[in-house]
Amino acid sequence: MTNKTDRIIIFDTTLRDGEQCPGATLNIDEKLVIAKQLARLGVDVIEAGFAFASPGDFEAVKKIAQIVGIENGPVVCSLARAIKADIEAAAEALKPAVNARIHTFISTSDIHLEYQLRKSRAEVLAIAEEMVAYAKSFMTDIEFSPMDAARTDPEFLYQVLERAIAAGATTVNIPDTVGYTTPSEFGAMIKGIIENVPNIDQAIISVHGHNDLGLAVANFLEAVKNGARQLECTINGIGERAGNASLEELVMALHVRRQYFNPYLGRPADSQESLTNIDTRQIYKTSRLVSNLTGMLVQPNKAIVGANAFAHESGIHQDGVLKNKLTYEIMDAQLIGLTDNQIVLGKHSGRNAFRTRLKELGFELSDTELNKAFVRFKEVADKKKEISDWDLEAIVNDEIQQAPDLFRVELVQVSCGSNARPTATVTLRTPEGEELTDAAIGTGPVDAVYKAINRVVNVPNELIEFSVQSVTAGIDAIGEVTIRLRYESKVFSGHAANTDIIVASAQAYVNALNRLYASLQTQQKPEEVTAQKV
Ligand code: KIV
Ligand code: ZN
């Protein structure tokens, strides 16, 4: 093993660190849908979760290991504190994977040692060594992270890394846990590690970083220039607090500027060979999927995947782009899977055309999923003449969204307008199959619908975010509603798409309530699960 691999390993932690942001909680089926898409995207390693954190996390890691951790598939990884029980849970959950990795960690900064771990440096050194060796007794592929490395005394960091590698770590990950470092400092830290850890040539250097100062991607690129060869990142940059380094930004920076980065990886500057294994045409779809399932909206001006990333508003820019795209565009939108093919199907299109187009868009649905999506497609096509790729994507994502189907919206009826009191009637099918109807008055039609739904479901909660976005332009566009609600300390998200935004609002709300309801039914209280996350 050497740090001089000639390409960059992409380690995706959307399902572990990404899932740690409030409200991004995913159920097992949703995690599996995302893991399959990450495999299609071509990530090298999927951190599928933190097996010890809860029975749900354990099952999710196990299922991903079984279904995605196949021959020629990505390495499936589980996080584990440097504690025997954590490592055992990770090893057990990862058993079905052909290529598996345990990622174990312990804090190394003085501030963490003093206030969080209450341990001396000598104790931490011994634990790191012992637990890496213990993890190694289960499998060969072991990653070790000295948590808060960016604020750790470099001399101590070198010692910990040396001991971890000697004990069997094949990847050593350098986390900027609190998003504190700057690019030149982070680059120098990687250089220092290469120069001062005697056995560093026996491990890959990885980096992990949070975006508290908005510097995570810049820090990683500087780390690459100094010898880091694995990047830990998430789709849309989601994650703890301000999030993690964003996969799409890193991959596209390495792709668009490969002439600049090539020499750092020992390649001729003009080499056209990709620096990562990522199929960039899957980026946009993956971003939308993660946003829909986690309820974490992508800001319009977000680099690469934001709605405005390829939109030119100014007249001068538009004029230039029409004459030659390269005047104002540094990359082609098709590279990330955006298509110019906007109008594809209509209400006379058959199942075959539907299936073929979905395949072209990269969706592989089971027969049952295809049937359900086709019924939805026909409903939408009845209301909307032209169904674009964006609409198809919204329909399919909505259908494969796996929120537990406990309550179901059967009817929504509203009466509103000027000089009228917004009134809503809703009928929900309960988990027991009973149909319950109630009505309410609200400040507007959505408020009235939500009040009526609350009267049926009867779980107190606070709506903290409500957003409607149009999938395409035009009066008959599909509206996508994303909501987040809070119950005690936990946030739940819901998402739905419909040509009727009041119906979409009702479905998104019930979708979130179903997640809340499901979490209340499990043994662990929601705040206990949150407390165990890293
Ligand atoms: O931010 C962090 O330090 C982490 C570690 C567990 C790698 O997420
Ligand atoms: Zn992290």
Side-chain angles (χ1 to χ4, degrees), residues 493-505:
S493 70
H495 177 91
N498 201 293
T499 45
D500 184 325
I501 56 165
I502 304 295
V503 175
S505 304

Side-chain angles (χ1 to χ4, degrees), residues 380-458:
V380 176
D382 262 345
K383 297 185 190 142
K384 193 174 187 298
K385 263 204 334 258
E386 294 161 339
I387 306 290
S388 68
D389 287 347
W390 309 101
D391 296 324
L392 281 180
E393 193 210 17
I395 292 169
V396 174
N397 279 339
D398 210 38
E399 272 315 315
I400 57 178
Q401 181 151 358
Q402 302 285 339
D405 215 359
L406 296 167
F407 290 93
R408 183 192 285 263
V409 180
E410 295 291 340
L411 173 139
V412 181
Q413 197 180 323
V414 292
S415 152
C416 59
S418 58
N419 298 324
R421 302 192 72 188
T423 311
T425 307
V426 297
T427 302
L428 300 187
R429 183 178 293 276
T430 68
E432 293 74 35
E434 203 183 342
E435 281 199 359
L436 295 179
T437 300
D438 218 320
I441 293 172
T443 52
V446 174
D447 185 47
V449 167
Y450 283 17
K451 285 194 168 124
I453 291 173
N454 279 338
R455 290 170 67 90
V456 176
V457 177
N458 205 15

Side-chain angles (χ1 to χ4, degrees), residues 276-314:
T276 69
N277 264 352
I278 297 295
D279 175 358
T280 61
R281 286 158 309 157
Q282 294 286 339
I283 285 180
Y284 185 71
K285 182 141 61 71
T286 316
S287 159
R288 295 272 301 158
L289 180 70
V290 169
S291 170
N292 288 346
L293 293 182
T294 58
M296 299 290 295
L297 294 176
V298 173
Q299 76 200 55
N301 58 324
K302 164 88 173 60
I304 317 295
V305 291
N308 294 349
F310 292 92
H312 299 277
E313 196 62 30
S314 115

Side-chain angles (χ1 to χ4, degrees), residues 17 208 210 244:
D17 212 325
H208 177 107
H210 287 266
N244 287 69

Side-chain angles (χ1 to χ4, degrees), residues 13 16-17 20 147 175-177 208-210 240 244 534:
T13 184
R16 198 279 296 169
D17 212 325
Q20 279 176 224
M147 187 145 100
D176 179 18
T177 304
H208 177 107
H210 287 266
E240 194 78 43
N244 287 69
V534 183

Side-chain angles (χ1 to χ4, degrees), residues 51-352:
F52 186 78
S54 72
D57 282 45
F58 181 91
E59 282 310 316
V61 175
K62 189 168 168 189
K63 202 157 183 186
I64 292 169
Q66 252 161 10
I67 296 175
V68 184
I70 52 175
E71 196 75 49
N72 300 322
V75 174
V76 181
C77 170
S78 171
L79 188 69
R81 289 170 299 181
I83 294 176
K84 277 191 172 173
D86 273 40
I87 291 170
E88 285 157 12
E92 183 61 30
L94 289 169
K95 259 186 188 158
V98 174
N99 298 305
R101 172 181 300 183
I102 294 175
H103 174 193
T104 187
F105 72 97
I106 187 164
S107 286
T108 49
S109 64
D110 286 338
I111 186 162
H112 280 210
L113 262 58
E114 183 177 348
Y115 295 101
Q116 203 183 7
L117 292 185
R118 295 183 194 284
K119 291 198 188 306
S120 67
R121 287 186 179 186
E123 284 172 307
V124 166
L125 259 185
I127 295 171
E129 184 170 30
E130 193 191 338
M131 288 303 113
V132 168
Y134 189 57
K136 195 79 178 179
S137 69
F138 293 98
M139 59 190 69
T140 52
D141 189 348
I142 304 299
E143 175 165 331
F144 170 73
S145 288
M147 187 145 100
D148 204 17
R151 293 191 302 170
T152 297
D153 168 19
E155 291 306 322
F156 182 54
L157 185 63
Y158 303 150
Q159 280 178 31
V160 180
L161 294 177
E162 184 182 354
R163 297 272 280 269
I165 295 169
T170 41
T171 299
V172 286
N173 180 44
I174 311 302
D176 179 18
T177 304
V178 291
Y180 179 73
T181 196
T182 64
S184 56
E185 286 172 324
F186 205 46
M189 176 174 283
I190 302 302
K191 189 165 180 272
I193 289 169
I194 292 182
E195 285 168 358
N196 293 288
V197 177
N199 52 1
I200 195 68
D201 60 329
Q202 292 165 37
I204 297 282
I205 298 182
S206 167
V207 285
H208 177 107
H210 287 266
N211 212 21
D212 300 65
L213 295 174
L215 293 173
V217 168
N219 289 340
F220 279 28
L221 294 175
E222 204 56 31
V224 165
K225 286 165 59 182
N226 284 281
R229 291 295 176 264
Q230 174 180 283
L231 306 181
E232 299 203 355
C233 44
T234 61
I235 302 296
N236 301 334
I238 64 171
E240 194 78 43
R241 305 183 310 280
N244 287 69
S246 132
L247 179 147
E248 57 280 3
E249 291 175 23
L250 288 166
V251 167
M252 291 315 288
L254 290 170
H255 184 79
V256 172
R257 299 303 313 278
R258 56 190 182 279
Q259 289 199 344
Y260 173 74
F261 287 104
N262 274 336
Y264 293 103
L265 282 95
R267 303 174 177 200
D270 59 357
S271 166
Q272 291 303 318
E273 211 186 309
S274 189
L275 283 165
T276 69
N277 264 352
I278 297 295
D279 175 358
T280 61
R281 286 158 309 157
Q282 294 286 339
I283 285 180
Y284 185 71
K285 182 141 61 71
T286 316
S287 159
R288 295 272 301 158
L289 180 70
V290 169
S291 170
N292 288 346
L293 293 182
T294 58
M296 299 290 295
L297 294 176
V298 173
Q299 76 200 55
N301 58 324
K302 164 88 173 60
I304 317 295
V305 291
N308 294 349
F310 292 92
H312 299 277
E313 196 62 30
S314 115
I316 297 175
H317 286 207
Q318 285 175 352
D319 177 61
V321 168
L322 286 174
K323 289 175 176 148
N324 180 341
K325 273 189 173 188
L326 294 180
T327 50
Y328 288 95
E329 272 185 15
I330 57 165
M331 58 195 147
D332 193 324
Q334 290 188 10
L335 254 182
I336 63 152
L338 279 165
T339 155
D340 287 341
N341 186 3
Q342 291 294 315
I343 296 163
V344 282
L345 300 175
K347 77 174 182 185
H348 298 299
S349 307
R351 184 185 301 263
N352 235 350

